[in-house]
Amino acid sequence: MIAEKVSTPIRVELTKKSRLPQVDFDNIVFGRQFSDHMFMVDYTDGKWHDARIVPYAPIPLSPAMHALHYGQSIFEGMKAYRYNREEIYLFRPEENFKRLNNSAERMCMPQLPKEIFMDALNELIRLDQDWVPRKEGSSLYIRPFMFATDEFIGVKPSETYRFMIFTCPVNSYYTEPVRVKIETVYSRACEGGVGRAKAAGNYAAALYPARLGQQEGYHQLVWTDAKEHKYIEESGTMNIMFNIGDKLVTPPTSGTILPGITRNSVITIARDWGLNVEETSVHVDEVINALKKGTLKEAFGMGTAATIAHIKLIGYRNKKYELSDPDSSYFSHKVSKYLEDLRRGYVEDKFNWTYQVV
Ligand code: COI
């Protein structure tokens, strides 16, 4: 069957038996249960072709597949929400599209046409619309990704690729305010590296230092610059912002920091509310001194999966500093609620960020 309402021809093979009845929407574990269908399209001979939606299932891979050995693999993270408790909307999907292609360029991978990205999202979410949770705080996480498929041993860009999307119903990534450790030994990214790309290898490289941090009781690390470990960069799965003396500060998205879409949304909202926001280098000493003096009012992470994640403890060089619980007067609280209301259609979308799918 060829899907209607889209301009990219997408072949659709429906699942014979939906797995939806197995989902307990009251107890969703992040990233464990996948919706019935997935999208894929292949790139060979310089062209994207054979767009299809098929039942979610393992895919056959060559042991020599390029992405497995040389790491040409990038991804995105997005969410679909119930709007006014009924219709389904995406949040700023074009930003994910642009970032995917920016990552692709850095990783020597082909550009994906916007039409394929948007049509695939529309059609996949329309088909699996019953998987979009209705409960407040839950949403459908969407994972678009691209990887190199050449069956070839040798270090050069692959000539063939696959782009895919699958989805899964989720709750918050963090279920409680987070404890973070400022990392002073390992690095996530260095100048001239691939830190600004959402490349799979960035996450793999972070696993070992993150595990060491977890063994000390932290949820996540706060990365610092690779050269001197003096400047804050981002946290494990999110960008980071501090409220110091009623000024919001966050590191600028240089080449080493992922340009987060939630980060950009938070900055835009804060400026719209007339708040003082600075995208500027944040010295670790500035954060620690503010913690000691009590002028660090709040610290929080910003990300698609993490949403707005309050930080309750910051560790630095064997010392632990606690932050007070944010009440409803705190910026992080207000912006978190506003973003949630905006995505769900409870407040006017004055920034034109929401995009209707169903
Ligand atoms: C996201 O925020 O969507 C991400 O990709 C982070 C991931 C580690 C869950």
Side-chain angles (χ1 to χ4, degrees):
M1 144 190 169
I2 300 284
E4 290 169 4
K5 287 202 208 156
V6 290
S7 44
T8 305
I10 301 176
R11 181 167 56 81
V12 178
E13 180 194 332
L14 295 178
T15 183
K16 293 199 169 52
K17 193 167 188 300
S18 172
R19 287 175 285 101
L20 194 56
Q22 295 162 22
V23 182
D24 175 0
F25 280 98
D26 290 325
N27 294 294
I28 304 172
V29 181
F30 196 103
R32 295 279 171 191
Q33 264 182 312
F34 303 102
S35 315
D36 281 332
H37 298 94
M38 60 187 189
F39 171 84
M40 52 181 133
V41 62
D42 291 318
Y43 183 87
T44 55
D45 297 325
K47 283 195 266 323
W48 290 102
H49 61 88
D50 199 13
R52 62 234 189 246
I53 289 176
V54 295
Y56 179 89
I59 48 174
L61 298 179
S62 159
M65 191 182 78
H66 192 289
L68 295 177
H69 302 266
Y70 310 112
Q72 272 186 298
S73 178
I74 56 173
F75 70 96
E76 275 301 316
M78 321 170 57
K79 281 179 177 168
Y81 297 83
R82 289 273 170 198
Y83 205 77
N84 293 321
R85 300 194 169 81
E86 203 42 57
E87 302 104 356
I88 297 169
Y89 276 61
L90 297 171
F91 185 71
R92 308 188 74 181
E94 292 200 3
E95 296 303 314
N96 292 93
F97 165 72
K98 284 188 217 152
R99 192 171 63 183
L100 179 85
N101 273 342
N102 287 341
S103 299
E105 185 185 14
R106 178 63 183 85
M107 301 299 286
C108 232
M109 299 166 86
Q111 297 288 293
L112 185 80
K114 186 169 171 190
E115 189 184 80
I116 295 184
F117 186 80
M118 294 308 295
D119 288 353
L121 281 173
N122 273 291
E123 192 50 19
L124 186 65
I125 294 165
R126 192 174 72 80
L127 262 184
D128 281 340
Q129 56 185 275
D130 292 340
W131 287 79
V132 183
R134 291 178 182 278
K135 215 175 153 185
E136 295 286 316
S138 306
S139 54
L140 187 77
Y141 187 79
I142 303 162
R143 173 50 58 84
F145 60 114
M146 189 197 293
F147 55 96
T149 52
D150 269 11
E151 194 175 12
F152 175 80
I153 296 299
V155 183
K156 71 177 184 73
S158 176
E159 285 171 13
T160 63
Y161 295 86
R162 178 168 287 177
F163 171 73
M164 298 185 63
I165 309 177
F166 63 75
T167 69
C168 48
V170 294
N171 278 329
S172 304
Y173 191 74
Y174 295 111
T175 50
E176 55 172 329
V178 290
R179 297 182 295 272
V180 297
K181 174 187 158 186
I182 298 179
E183 178 60 53
T184 52
V185 176
Y186 297 95
S187 304
R188 174 186 172 274
C190 61
E191 291 295 336
V194 295
R196 74 173 166 84
K198 208 158 168 66
N202 283 340
Y203 294 79
L207 293 176
Y208 179 71
R211 183 158 72 185
L212 296 181
Q214 281 149 13
Q215 284 164 355
E216 291 176 59
Y218 297 100
H219 292 103
Q220 270 305 341
L221 301 178
V222 174
W223 297 109
T224 50
D225 67 283
K227 216 166 162 189
E228 299 179 289
H229 297 295
K230 280 188 180 162
Y231 294 94
I232 303 281
E233 300 229 306
E234 62 177 83
S235 187
T237 53
M238 51 201 187
N239 296 111
I240 192 163
M241 186 175 268
F242 302 93
N243 184 350
I244 302 179
D246 278 328
K247 185 171 72 183
L248 296 164
V249 289
T250 188
T253 51
S254 63
T256 58
I257 297 178
L258 188 82
I261 296 159
T262 310
R263 172 191 178 280
N264 175 276
S265 307
V266 168
I267 293 172
T268 307
I269 294 166
R271 292 199 171 129
D272 184 61
W273 289 351
L275 300 175
N276 188 0
V277 194
E278 278 184 18
E279 292 178 75
T280 180
S281 303
V282 182
H283 202 292
V284 175
D285 289 349
E286 184 186 349
V287 172
I288 300 303
N289 288 338
L291 278 164
K292 286 182 181 159
K293 283 198 285 185
T295 51
L296 197 151
K297 191 169 174 195
E298 49 191 330
F300 54 95
M302 304 163 282
T304 298
T307 59
I308 302 296
H310 302 294
I311 292 174
K312 67 171 173 196
L313 184 137
I314 299 180
Y316 181 59
R317 298 200 188 284
N318 297 324
K319 287 221 170 75
K320 292 184 177 174
Y321 302 87
E322 300 225 16
L323 282 95
S324 48
D325 280 344
D327 63 33
S328 56
S329 70
Y330 279 55
F331 171 75
S332 53
H333 222 286
K334 287 189 195 157
V335 79
S336 172
K337 177 166 180 347
Y338 182 76
L339 267 173
E340 190 67 7
D341 286 351
L342 192 85
R343 288 165 174 144
R344 293 182 189 277
Y346 303 156
V347 292
E348 186 207 340
D349 178 13
K350 62 189 282 192
F351 305 105
N352 207 14
W353 283 342
T354 58
Y355 171 93
Q356 182 167 17
V357 179
V358 177

